[in-house]
Amino acid sequence: MSHVLIVEDEAHLAKGLQYNLEAEGHSVAVVGDGERALELLLGKSAKPTAFDAVVLDVMLPGKDGFAVAAELRAAKQYVPVLMLTARGRPEDVLKGFASGADDYLPKPFELPILLARLQGLLRRREWMQQSLASSAAPAAGNQEYEAFSFHGRTIDFGKLELRVNGNTIQLTLMEAELLRHLIRNEGRVVSRKSILEEVWGLHEDTDTRAIDNFIVRLRRYIEDNPAEPRHLLTVRGVGYRFVAEPEKE
Ligand code: CA
């Protein structure tokens, strides 16, 4: 059973979500504004692991969803966040990812899609926690991609950390998962569709722009010049290719 926090001020929508998540076997808490969400996730009596995922609406009274996500990440609270954005506002999607959301869904959404997205985030989290637990007592030969170093950068998948030039950057769950997928396929072209399937666990026809936004963010972390990437290359019309050690020019 997972603990899910819903942050949504539209009571009927929050209730419907709660009802359906509970029917799926999750335990659910609902709050109607960002301040209360931050209190539950970061307040003095908050337990860092009290929630396994947060469904966070952007449009909230007081602090909006972007501000809430940004405060969570600034406080090193990396609970997976599924952000609900307004349809037809792609700038919100970018803003959402920039503030630290792991995934987004435009409103109005189909409930099965939301459940699938949330399930994807929860699966990843569980998987990550298992890999954290197993990295404390590593089984021989089971160390694949716990950490990966390339070109002066090191990614620690257990801690979700990227170390570059003496700086440590905290990655969100899905940033780390996307990097892991690209690294596994080093040198090969990976399509957006396969990324959606393998990383997000989504098989339905979905907007792939989310992936492009993630790539933009990852480039900011790992490229010397994000405008001229040498590690995360775009393959026009298809997807992306990761190159660990670019040839010297
Ligand atoms: Ca709202």
Side-chain angles (χ1 to χ4, degrees):
M1 183 179 71
S2 300
H3 300 277
V4 180
L5 177 62
I6 297 171
V7 190
E8 169 63 272
D9 59 312
E10 287 165 67
H12 70 283
L13 185 54
K15 274 265 169 278
L17 269 180
Q18 177 175 22
Y19 176 81
N20 282 282
L21 289 174
E22 284 174 352
E24 298 272 308
H26 303 298
S27 100
V28 178
V30 178
V31 293
D33 62 66
E35 281 78 6
R36 266 182 291 170
L38 289 169
E39 185 60 37
L40 277 180
L41 290 161
L42 301 178
K44 280 196 187 75
S45 52
K47 290 196 201 93
T49 54
F51 294 98
D52 301 299
V54 178
V55 177
L56 177 61
D57 190 37
V58 167
M59 299 289 284
L60 295 167
K63 255 176 211 166
D64 66 13
F66 302 125
V68 172
E71 277 191 46
L72 291 179
R73 298 327 187 202
K76 302 199 183 304
Q77 166 53 276
Y78 293 103
V79 60
V81 170
L82 174 62
M83 194 171 265
L84 304 179
T85 62
R87 190 175 290 275
R89 288 179 57 89
E91 65 272 25
D92 278 6
V93 174
L94 278 173
K95 224 174 143 185
F97 282 126
S99 63
D102 295 286
D103 201 357
Y104 80 98
L105 204 54
K107 277 173 142 183
F109 50 83
E110 305 276 342
L111 194 65
I113 304 277
L114 179 127
L115 294 174
R117 294 287 186 93
L118 196 59
Q119 213 54 56
L121 286 180
L122 291 169
R123 252 200 324 269
R124 292 289 152 183
R125 181 172 175 86
E126 210 170 287
W127 190 87
M128 277 287 180
Q129 279 167 345
Q130 278 166 7
S131 93
L132 262 182
S134 68
S135 70
N142 198 19
Q143 285 286 67
E144 192 201 17
Y145 301 123
E146 280 306 325
F148 182 84
S149 294
F150 66 99
H151 214 75
R153 289 116 171 108
T154 298
I155 304 164
D156 184 325
F157 289 106
K159 291 185 185 157
L160 302 181
E161 283 177 0
L162 170 68
R163 291 187 286 274
V164 185
N165 302 327
N167 296 321
T168 300
I169 297 164
Q170 187 73 46
L171 302 170
T172 64
L173 194 60
M174 300 315 286
E175 287 170 349
E177 284 297 286
L178 176 53
L179 266 175
R180 187 200 293 268
H181 182 65
L182 291 164
I183 287 169
R184 271 199 188 122
N185 292 286
E186 213 255 301
R188 291 196 291 270
V189 180
V190 180
S191 73
R192 288 183 181 79
K193 191 172 175 335
S194 90
I195 290 173
L196 268 185
E197 290 181 2
E198 304 285 325
V199 180
W200 272 266
L202 284 176
H203 297 275
E204 60 263 48
D205 221 1
T206 326
D207 189 354
T208 56
R209 262 179 311 183
I211 296 166
D212 302 334
N213 299 334
F214 265 86
I215 296 285
V216 168
R217 264 160 77 189
L218 291 177
R219 278 184 182 145
R220 256 184 249 142
Y221 301 155
I222 68 171
E223 300 285 355
D224 291 329
N225 177 4
E228 284 178 38
R230 303 185 70 208
H231 298 286
L232 282 177
L233 309 180
T234 300
V235 181
R236 230 164 257 297
V238 186
Y240 295 98
R241 185 159 63 93
F242 174 75
V243 176
E245 302 290 337
E247 283 166 37
K248 296 221 162 51
E249 276 148 19

